[in-house]
C-alpha cells in the first residue's frame, strides 16, 4: 500500500466523479432533495400559528376561562386534549411542540390567588421556547392587571423529546446515503472489467487494495459531506429536533463508516458477479429499493405492517438506521452500543472478504 | 549477454484452446522486435504474458531478468505498455491521465512534452470519450512512453491511425530506438514491421513459423520475384515462342523466378517486342507476400 498512489487515484476518481452528473445527483443532491421535500411536507417552519395542546384536568369555570385567554392571544391554535389521554404522548403522536396542563386543583389555587399551570415545551425547538414566553406574558397581562392574581407558569421541558416525522428523515436519509456504497462499486467494477480500465490503471502500480482504500476514502468523505448537509438542512430549515452530542459524534461517524463499507462490499460482490453494467444495474436496484423503503429510511419501521417488519429485520440498513436513530433522536448510546459493535465487526469482515475476492479476480 | 526479454517454450491454454504452443524468442537490448501474425495467432496472449497480465501455462519467461508474473510492479518505471484496445475512464482527459501516471510512479516526466511527441497537444484537455479513435490510441501511446521506458510493448499501436499519424508514430519509435530503447511491436501492417523492426517473428496458430530480420525472412522463404506484363494479344505467343514459362493472373502475364538476374535477362530478351508491351512491372517479393503466402499455405495444409 503506497499512499501516493492511493492519493493520485483519489484525485483522478474525484475528478471523474464530480464531472459525472449522475454521480453528483445521486450521491449529494438526491438525499438533500428528499430532505427538502419531506421537510416541506412535515417540517414545522411553515406554520403561522403554533398549535398548543391544552389539557384541562380541572374542568371548572375558571379553568375554561384560562383556555379562552390562551385562545385570545391569537398566537396559538388550541388543541384540546381529553383528560383521559397522556398529554406528552398525545403531543408526541401529533407532533405538537407546546402544551398546557391545567391541573385538577387549578380552582383551589386560583381561589388562593395563584394561577398555576404547567407549560410543556420542547427545549430543542426555538419556536417552542418563544411560545412559552408569549404565553407567560399573555397570562401575566390578563391575570395581574385584570384580577390581581399571581401567575405561576411551571415550565416543564419534555423529558422524552418529541419526534416529528422530519426528525426521522435525518437518520433515515443518512442511511440512504450509505447505500451509495452499493452504487460506488456495482457499476464501476463491471465497467472497469469490461473495458479493462483497472488493468490500465494498474500500469501506474495501483493495486486492488489501494484502489479500494482510495474508493473508501472518497465515498466516506462524500457521504459525510452529504450527511452534514442533510443534518444542517433538516435542523436549520425544518426545525428537526435532532442533535448529535459531542460524545456521540464519533459513534455516529463510525456507524456511517461501517454502513458505507458494508454497502461497498455488497456492491463489490454484486459487481464481481455481474459481467456488464446493464446486469449490474438490475442487480443493484433489486438490492437497493427494498432497503430504501423497508429499512426505516422514509417511515418508522414501527408503522409498517408486521410482515414487512419481518422483511426489514433481514435488511442490514435497518440496523444502521436504528443505530443512528438511537444516537441522534434518543441520545441513548448505551442501548445501541452493542449493536454498533456487532455491525462494526460484521462490516469489517464483509469488507475484508469482498476485497480479498476482488484481488483474486484476474481480468479486472 | 542475455536479452532484455527471453521466452523459452512458452505455452498458454484457455480452457480447451491452446493459444500459444511453445514459442521461443529473444529480444536484444536496443532492438525493435516485431510479432506478426493473423488475427487470433496468439500475439496479444504472448505479449500480455510478458507484461505480467496473464499467467502462462508453461515455459520460461524473463523480462529484464525477472519473471513478469511475479515482479511486474518493480518494472513499472522502466517498462511501458500500450495494450491492444486501449481504454480509459470516459471523462478524464489525456493530460489528467498522464498526471495520474506521473504522480503514481513518482516520475520526473513532462506530460506536455510527451503529448507533443505523439501530436496530441490540441486534444490534451478533451475527455477520453470525446477523442477520436486515433486520438485515443495516441493517448495510450503517450501513457506507455511517459516513464521514458527502456522496454516498451506496443500492441498494434498504429491501428486506427491515419497515414500521417502512422508515420509520426513511426518517427517516435525510430527516435526511441535511436536512444537505445527496446521495443516489442505487434502489428498487422507488414510495411511497418519491415520498416521498423530489426527482428520479426511471424506467429500463426500459436507457433512461430518464421523468424529473423525482415530481409532474412524474405530471402529464406523467398519463392519468387516476378515480372508482370500486359499488352497486346500477341504477347502470350511471343513468350511461348521464347520458351519463357509464364502464367496468367487477370490481365497480367506473370513470369516468376527465384533469381532476379534471370528476370533481368528476360527483360533484355523482350526488348524487341516492346511495341506489344503496355505495362512491365518487375516486382520483388515483399515481407507481405511471404507472410500472406506462408499463412495461406498453413491454412491450406490444415484443411
Ligand atoms: N481471455 C481469453 N479467454 C479465452 N480465449 C482467449 C482469451 N484471450 C485470447 N483467447 C483466444 O486465444 C487466441 C489468441 O488470441 P490473441 O488475442 O492472443 O490473438 P492475437 O494474435 O493478438 O490476435 P489479433 O491480431 O486479432 O489481436 C484466440 O483464438 C482467442 O480467441
Ligand atoms: Mg492481439
Amino acid at each position: 500500500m503506497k499512499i501516493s498512489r492511493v492519493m493520485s487515484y483519489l484525485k483522478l476518481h474525484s475528478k471523474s466523479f464530480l464531472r459525472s452528473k449522475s454521480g453528483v445527483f445521486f450521491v449529494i443532491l438526491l438525499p438533500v432533495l428528499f430532505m427538502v421535500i419531506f421537510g416541506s411536507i412535515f417540517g414545522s417552519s411553515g406554520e403561522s400559528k403554533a398549535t398548543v395542546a391544552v389539557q384541562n384536568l380541572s374542568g371548572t369555570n375558571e379553568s375554561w376561562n384560562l383556555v379562552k385567554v390562551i385562545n385570545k392571544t391569537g398566537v396559538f391554535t388550541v388543541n384540546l386534549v381529553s383528560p383521559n389521554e397522556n398529554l406528552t404522548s398525545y403531543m408526541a403522536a401529533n407532533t405538537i411542540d407546546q402544551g398546557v396542563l391545567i391541573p385538577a386543583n387549578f380552582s383551589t389555587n386560583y381561589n388562593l390567588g395563584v394561577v398555576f399551570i404547567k407549560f410543556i415545551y420542547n427545549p430543542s425547538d426555538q419556536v417552542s421556547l418563544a411560545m412559552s414566553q408569549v404565553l407567560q406574558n399573555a397570562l401575566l397581562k390578563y391575570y395581574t392587571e385584570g384580577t390581581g392574581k399571581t401567575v405561576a407558569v411551571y415550565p416543564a421541558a419534555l423529558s422524552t423529546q418529541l419526534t416529528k416525522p422530519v426528525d426521522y428523515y435525518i437518520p433515515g436519509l443518512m442511511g440512504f446515503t450509505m447505500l451509495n456504497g452499493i452504487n460506488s462499486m456495482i457499476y464501476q467494477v463491471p465497467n472497469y472489467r469490461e473495458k479493462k480500465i483497472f488493468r490500465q490503471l494498474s500500469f501506474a502500480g495501483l493495486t486492488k487494495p489501494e484502489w479500494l482504500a482510495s474508493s473508501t476514502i472518497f465515498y466516506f468523505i462524500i457521504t459525510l459531506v452529504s450527511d452534514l448537509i442533510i443534518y444542517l438542512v433538516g435542523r436549520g430549515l425544518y426545525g428537526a429536533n435532532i442533535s448529535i452530542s459531542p460524545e456521540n459524534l464519533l459513534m455516529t461517524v463510525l456507524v456511517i463508516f461501517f454502513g458505507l463499507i458494508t454497502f461497498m462490499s455488497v456492491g463489490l460482490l454484486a459487481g464481481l458477479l455481474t459481467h456488464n453494467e446493464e446486469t449490474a444495474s438490475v442487480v443493484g436496484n433489486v438490492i437497493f429499493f427494498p432497503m430504501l423503503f423497508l429499512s426505516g429510511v422514509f417511515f418508522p419501521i414501527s408503522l409498517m405492517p408486521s410482515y414487512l417488519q419481518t422483511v426489514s429485520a433481514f435488511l442490514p440498513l435497518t440496523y444502521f438506521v436504528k443505530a443512528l436513530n438511537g444516537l441522534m433522536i434518543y441520545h441513548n448510546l448505551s442501548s445501541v452500543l452493542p449493536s454498533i459493535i456487532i455491525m462494526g465487526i460484521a462490516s469489517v469482515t464483509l469488507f475484508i472478504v469482498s476485497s480479498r475476492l476482488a484481488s483474486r479476480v484476474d481480468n479486472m | 549477454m542475455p536479452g532484455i526479454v527471453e521466452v523459452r517454450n512458452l505455452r498458454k491454454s484457455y480452457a480447451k484452446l491452446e493459444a500459444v504452443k511453445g514459442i521461443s524468442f529473444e529480444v536484444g537490448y536496443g532492438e525493435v522486435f516485431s510479432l506478426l501474425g493473423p488475427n487470433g495467432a496468439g500475439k496479444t496472449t504472448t505479449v500480455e504474458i510478458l507484461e505480467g497480465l496473464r499467467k502462462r501455462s508453461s515455459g520460461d519467461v524473463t523480462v529484464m531478468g525477472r519473471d513478469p508474473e511475479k515482479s511486474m510492479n518493480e518494472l513499472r518505471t522502466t517498462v511501458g505498455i500500450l495494450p491492444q484496445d486501449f481504454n480509459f475512464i470516459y471523462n478524464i482527459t489525456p493530460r489528467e491521465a498522464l498526471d495520474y501516471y506521473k504522480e503514481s510512479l513518482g516520475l520526473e516526466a513532462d506530460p506536455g512534452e510527451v503529448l507533443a511527441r505523439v501530436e496530441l497537444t490540441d486534444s490534451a484537455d478533451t475527455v477520453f470519450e470525446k477523442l477520436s479513435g486515433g486520438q485515443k490510441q495516441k493517448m495510450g501511446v503517450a501513457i506507455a512512453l511517459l516513464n521514458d521506458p527502456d522496454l516498451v510493448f506496443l500492441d498494434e499501436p498504429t491501428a486506427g491511425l491515419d497515414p500521417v499519424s502512422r508515420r509520426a508514430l513511426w518517427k517516435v519509435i525510430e527516435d526511441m530506438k535511436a536512444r537505445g530503447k527496446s521495443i516489442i511491436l505487434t502489428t498487422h501492417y507488414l510495411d511497418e514491421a519491415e520498416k521498423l523492426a530489426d527482428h520479426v517473428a511471424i506467429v500463426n496458430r500459436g507457433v512461430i513459423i518464421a523468424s529473423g530480420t525482415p530481409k532474412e525472412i524474405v530471402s529464406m522463404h523467398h519463392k519468387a520475384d516476378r515480372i508482370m506484363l500486359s499488352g497486346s494479344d500477341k504477347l502470350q505467343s511471343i513468350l511461348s515462342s521464347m520458351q519463357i514459362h509464364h502464367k496468367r493472373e487477370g490481365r497480367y502475364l506473370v513470369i516468376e523466378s527465384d533469381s532476379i538476374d534471370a528476370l533481368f535477362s528476360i527483360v533484355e530478351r523482350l526488348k524487341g517486342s516492346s511495341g506489344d508491351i503496355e505495362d512491365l512491372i518487375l516486382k520483388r517479393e515483399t515481407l507481405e507476400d511471404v507472410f500472406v503466402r506462408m499463412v495461406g499455405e498453413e491454412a491450406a495444409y490444415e484443411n
Side-chain angles (χ1 to χ4, degrees), chain A residues 2 4-5 8-9 11-12 15-16 19-20 192 195 197 199-207 362, chain B residues 48 53 55 73 76 81 83-84 86-93 96 100-101 103-105 127 143:
Chain A
K2 214 173 139 202
S4 67
R5 290 199 294 253
S8 56
Y9 177 70
K11 201 168 121 190
L12 192 74
K15 275 186 194 145
S16 171
R19 243 169 237 166
S20 76
Y192 272 23
K195 298 192 175 147
I197 290 177
R199 184 185 75 174
Q200 181 64 46
L201 294 170
S202 77
F203 296 162
L206 187 75
T207 62
D362 251 349
Chain B
E48 291 193 352
L53 297 172
K55 289 193 169 76
N73 261 346
R76 293 281 174 220
I81 296 173
Q84 185 171 9
F86 165 75
N87 221 320
F88 208 76
I89 303 173
Y90 75 103
N91 57 4
I92 291 295
T93 70
E96 290 163 347
Y100 162 75
Y101 288 93
E103 285 167 26
S104 299
L105 293 170
V127 294
I143 291 171

Side-chain angles (χ1 to χ4, degrees), chain B residues 271-283:
Chain B
K271 262 186 184 165
S273 318
S274 59
D276 292 302
I277 297 173
E278 211 171 88
D279 290 333
L280 186 152
I281 304 165
L282 182 61
K283 199 170 177 293

